[in-house]
Amino acid sequence: MPSLTIFRLAFSAFALLILSACSGLAGEPLIVRTVPLPTVTPTPIPDLGRPPARVDLARGAAIFGDAQGCAQCHGVAGQWDGPSAAAFVCKPRLADPENRGKTPLAWFGLTTNGNNGAVTCLMPPWRARLDEQARWDVVSFAYSLRYTPEQLVRGGQVWESRCAACHGAVGKGDATMPDLTEPAYLIAKSDVALFQALTNGIPKAPNHVFTDLSEADRYAVVAFLRALSWDSADILLRPPEERVAYVAALSAPPAATEEPTPSPSPTAVAAVQTFTVRGAVRADPPLAEGQLITLRVIALGVHSPRELASYQTTIRADQTFEFDAVLKQRGAVYVASAEYDGVLQFSSPLLLSEDTPALTLDLPLFPVSADSSDVVVELQRLFVDVIAPNRALIQGAARIRNTGRRVLLTDQRAEDGQRISLTFELPVGATAVRLAAESAARFRVQAAGSPQPRIVGIAPLLPSEVALLQFSYELPFAAANILINQPNRYRVNALIVNVPQASGAQINDPRFSKDEPVALESGSYDTYVLREPLAANANITISVALGAMSASIADPALVILVVSILVLLLGTAGAIWWLNRRDQTVTASQDDVAKLIAQIAALDEQFERGELSAEAYQTQRNALKARLARLSNLPSVRKE
């Protein structure tokens, strides 16, 4: 998903009431009564016109729900049902679909300056009452009230499969993509404008059209994108009517009789609510009676998932286990783990979304094997560019899946001592081998200074798991022919090669068919697709014939650009970010954990609605579980 441009929208002439408490005229509630200013007032600090720091939704919710705050008129969920709302003729509801066309910047202006004393719906100015950051916090909270937990879950799923490949797992982009999480980036864009960017495309990115997604899905990814730019966005995973109360409970001091709540407990209230978590292990051979089982309780958040508590028990002879007096927290994730065949493995995490007396976890465990016959490269893509006379830059990616019922892990060791699961040889003469940041946690470059370096995976590949490898290297070539010749250990279902049109490059090989070109900011690239799958242990041999090369092809600036847009070319549905490995010093991105958890919850709901067959549901769910298993030592999530 290429970068989103700034859409300039005219401010609406309608006096839509956005935030804060509104009032009548005579006998207006005290919360909005205009207080005369003293004769001499300090000159206020001018507004920056943008958030001075990252927006904090929790802080905004506290202001919104304060006794003198916005909820007095707007109601805690923005439905205009607060205690003072009946005094007004107007009935503005913040979550109305018509507000999709408004920008946070417009709402901020109305909140800051008021609406000039409109009789039917007085909106007082809040400039003198709240500093600029506080106004941005409360405006953003009000803007978020139309987003439902279901939207956030679905939006995370769509983002993972369609957007993260270009914009990054948390929207930070790269050298050619904007940082969508920067506080000021989205404030001048309405949800309608962002929706149109997904529907009609944007300048310089003709492929930025996602009309294959439903309208609901496009608005869901807009909601998720907003959440990426806000802190405390985990409160959006609660119904709108619960958010103000939830934030109030988070900040409430514990009762005097309570023991101090161990950090990081979610709330004093949740700390005293407990229930039972049961489960069963499925393993052949079974676990020994008495082996430890660990249960972890994870607070789900778009930006800040955190462990609330952990418990240990032992397995019974009948392969069942039980945890009593477990912290009960709606919206938290519960996951069990055990070591099996030398590898820590996990249950399908359960998202607690209902008031239930108990949870039941399923913990399947798989044997470990060095046999790679079940490994399939579902898609491999190479992007070839000439960067200097007789030197090419090859950028590649592979989407790898374990289709078997065993965890892939060999006894071979990487240079840092980690056990190797996957091995990818590179052509003889390859130099300057680099891994994309998203692949560096799971893969290592081996023998970098040797004539034939290789890339190895250092995390177990679980059954049904998909791993994404992204890399680049430089390769010398003679005359006007680039030869890529490398051993290949695994079956390759699809191989795609892109070559720059400006170089006159061609692949004159009957095994390849020419497909639609790819147009990028740096130029156009012809696409060649291997006609038949490539068998395991068969060399990958590609000969790229070059024509007359323009001087611009060797421009170093282009090299930088091409490197940074690799992810764009590799964006395919199902490409999964892998940002962690088990028990290593590199810690997985918590944002990815939260998104995978949300993604699985959405899948469960889709299955419950009858939109997926049992086979498709189980296949997709197992794959998501396997990915999450390696992130922060967590697996995937199932909604209870």
Side-chain angles (χ1 to χ4, degrees):
M1 183 189 290
S3 62
L4 302 175
T5 55
I6 298 178
F7 292 86
R8 304 182 60 182
L9 300 179
F11 286 98
S12 171
F14 301 111
L16 291 174
L17 299 187
I18 309 308
L19 296 175
S20 45
C22 301
S23 73
L25 297 176
E28 65 180 318
L30 177 63
I31 54 172
V32 293
R33 183 169 296 148
T34 303
V35 179
L37 295 175
T39 306
V40 179
T41 340
T43 302
I45 300 173
D47 283 350
L48 297 174
R50 58 175 173 78
R54 279 184 64 84
V55 162
D56 189 326
L57 290 187
R59 192 164 54 222
I63 297 170
F64 191 91
D66 186 76
Q68 302 296 313
C70 319
Q72 295 299 312
C73 288
H74 288 284
V76 294
Q79 295 299 318
W80 197 251
D81 55 359
S84 301
F88 300 95
V89 176
C90 61
K91 299 293 181 184
R93 292 178 174 83
L94 302 179
D96 282 352
E98 65 185 66
N99 287 330
R100 287 172 169 172
K102 304 299 184 287
T103 68
L105 184 61
W107 285 30
F108 177 81
L110 182 58
T111 302
T112 297
N113 302 314
N115 65 350
N116 298 317
V119 175
T120 57
C121 260
L122 172 63
M123 178 68 174
W126 288 81
R127 180 191 295 273
R129 312 181 193 194
L130 299 173
D131 63 31
E132 185 175 16
Q133 184 63 52
R135 277 175 274 141
W136 278 113
D137 291 341
V138 73
V139 162
S140 300
F141 175 77
Y143 201 89
S144 74
L145 285 172
R146 66 170 163 271
Y147 302 145
T148 66
E150 293 75 21
Q151 273 189 308
L152 268 292
V153 167
R154 179 56 183 160
Q157 182 180 21
V158 176
W159 182 275
E160 176 72 26
S161 63
R162 306 296 296 275
C163 311
C166 296
H167 289 292
V170 296
K172 287 190 173 295
D174 55 23
T176 63
M177 296 290 174
D179 182 356
L180 302 180
T181 70
E182 200 279 326
Y185 189 80
L186 295 177
I187 61 173
K189 300 175 175 66
S190 69
D191 283 6
V192 168
L194 297 176
F195 176 85
Q196 289 172 344
L198 301 175
T199 305
N200 304 322
I202 57 178
K204 298 184 179 180
N207 295 328
H208 196 278
V209 175
F210 297 89
T211 50
D212 59 312
L213 296 174
S214 67
E215 178 177 328
D217 280 356
R218 278 173 276 165
Y219 272 116
V221 81
V222 167
F224 188 81
L225 171 60
R226 292 278 187 200
L228 292 178
S229 67
W230 295 326
D231 287 339
S232 303
D234 56 312
I235 69 174
L236 302 183
L237 295 170
R238 294 178 172 273
E241 63 273 13
E242 296 181 9
R243 292 170 189 169
V244 167
Y246 175 65
V247 170
L250 283 174
S251 58
T257 57
E258 284 187 5
E259 293 294 325
T261 304
S263 179
S265 175
T267 69
V269 176
V272 298
Q273 298 176 346
T274 62
F275 71 148
T276 300
V277 176
R278 303 184 180 93
V281 169
R282 291 185 290 112
D284 186 17
L287 286 182
E289 182 179 2
Q291 181 170 333
L292 282 178
I293 305 289
T294 300
L295 175 70
R296 297 170 64 189
V297 183
I298 308 297
L300 179 62
V302 174
H303 276 282
S304 55
R306 59 199 181 279
E307 181 170 310
L308 302 179
S310 65
Y311 307 87
Q312 285 193 327
T313 189
T314 55
I315 190 75
R316 299 165 176 156
D318 63 356
Q319 299 295 285
T320 63
F321 55 85
E322 183 172 313
F323 297 91
D324 292 319
V326 173
L327 171 68
K328 185 176 185 179
Q329 174 65 27
R330 186 168 181 254
V333 169
Y334 296 76
V335 56
S337 64
E339 185 170 302
Y340 187 74
D341 207 3
V343 172
L344 192 63
Q345 302 184 42
F346 301 88
S347 70
S348 295
L350 292 181
L351 177 65
L352 183 61
S353 59
E354 300 174 359
D355 188 11
T356 178
L359 288 182
T360 302
L361 297 171
D362 180 41
L363 179 53
L365 303 175
F366 302 95
V368 176
S369 173
D371 183 1
S372 63
S373 59
D374 291 322
V375 174
V376 174
V377 178
E378 295 180 325
L379 171 64
Q380 182 162 348
R381 192 160 195 169
L382 298 177
F383 187 27
V384 181
D385 254 287
V386 178
I387 59 174
N390 304 114
R391 181 159 292 273
L393 174 68
I394 313 298
Q395 296 168 102
R399 194 173 70 230
I400 310 120
R401 182 186 297 275
N402 181 356
T403 63
R405 299 291 295 170
R406 295 174 178 269
V407 178
L408 176 65
L409 190 64
T410 74
D411 291 328
Q412 298 176 349
R413 301 279 175 171
E415 292 170 352
D416 61 0
Q418 303 297 319
R419 291 176 67 182
I420 293 174
S421 56
L422 297 162
T423 300
F424 293 88
E425 282 87 359
L426 299 179
V428 173
T431 60
V433 183
R434 299 179 181 88
L435 295 172
E438 292 76 19
S439 298
R442 185 184 177 93
F443 292 91
R444 296 287 184 272
V445 177
Q446 289 278 95
S450 71
Q452 188 170 21
R454 61 187 181 276
I455 296 171
V456 297
I458 46 83
L461 189 65
L462 280 68
S464 301
E465 181 181 3
V466 173
L468 181 66
L469 168 63
Q470 299 176 72
F471 59 92
S472 67
Y473 60 86
E474 295 180 16
L475 188 67
F477 65 90
N481 188 71
I482 302 172
L483 180 62
I484 302 171
N485 186 17
Q486 64 188 56
N488 177 59
R489 298 192 180 197
Y490 315 112
R491 174 185 170 87
V492 179
N493 284 350
L495 175 62
I496 301 174
V497 183
N498 287 98
V499 297
Q501 290 182 342
S503 68
Q506 299 180 62
I507 296 180
N508 299 314
D509 187 329
R511 298 177 303 155
F512 287 85
S513 60
K514 196 170 183 179
D515 206 343
E516 292 296 320
V518 175
L520 302 174
E521 292 184 5
S522 58
S524 296
Y525 295 81
D526 284 330
T527 302
Y528 293 86
V529 180
L530 190 66
R531 296 177 185 273
E532 300 290 339
L534 190 66
N537 300 312
N539 278 17
I540 295 177
T541 304
I542 304 164
S543 179
V544 180
L546 301 176
M549 293 181 291
S550 66
S552 64
I553 295 175
D555 188 340
L558 177 60
V559 177
I560 297 173
L561 178 62
V562 171
V563 172
S564 63
I565 62 176
L566 170 62
V567 176
L568 174 64
L569 299 180
L570 302 172
T572 56
I576 306 303
W577 292 113
W578 251 91
L579 300 180
N580 196 12
R581 56 184 171 83
R582 179 180 67 87
D583 300 332
Q584 304 301 325
T585 57
V586 179
T587 304
S589 164
Q590 292 180 330
D591 301 292
D592 286 355
V593 173
K595 287 194 293 182
L596 283 172
I597 289 170
Q599 192 173 346
I600 297 172
L603 184 68
D604 289 332
E605 292 178 353
Q606 191 177 3
F607 177 65
E608 291 168 4
R609 294 194 300 265
E611 298 174 2
L612 284 177
S613 68
E615 182 179 359
Y617 164 68
Q618 196 59 50
T619 299
Q620 295 179 42
R621 199 170 187 284
N622 287 342
L624 291 171
K625 171 192 167 184
R627 297 171 204 154
L628 190 56
R630 304 314 314 153
L631 292 178
S632 291
N633 287 337
L634 281 178
S636 11
V637 70
R638 175 161 53 100
K639 184 177 179 181
E640 180 68 13

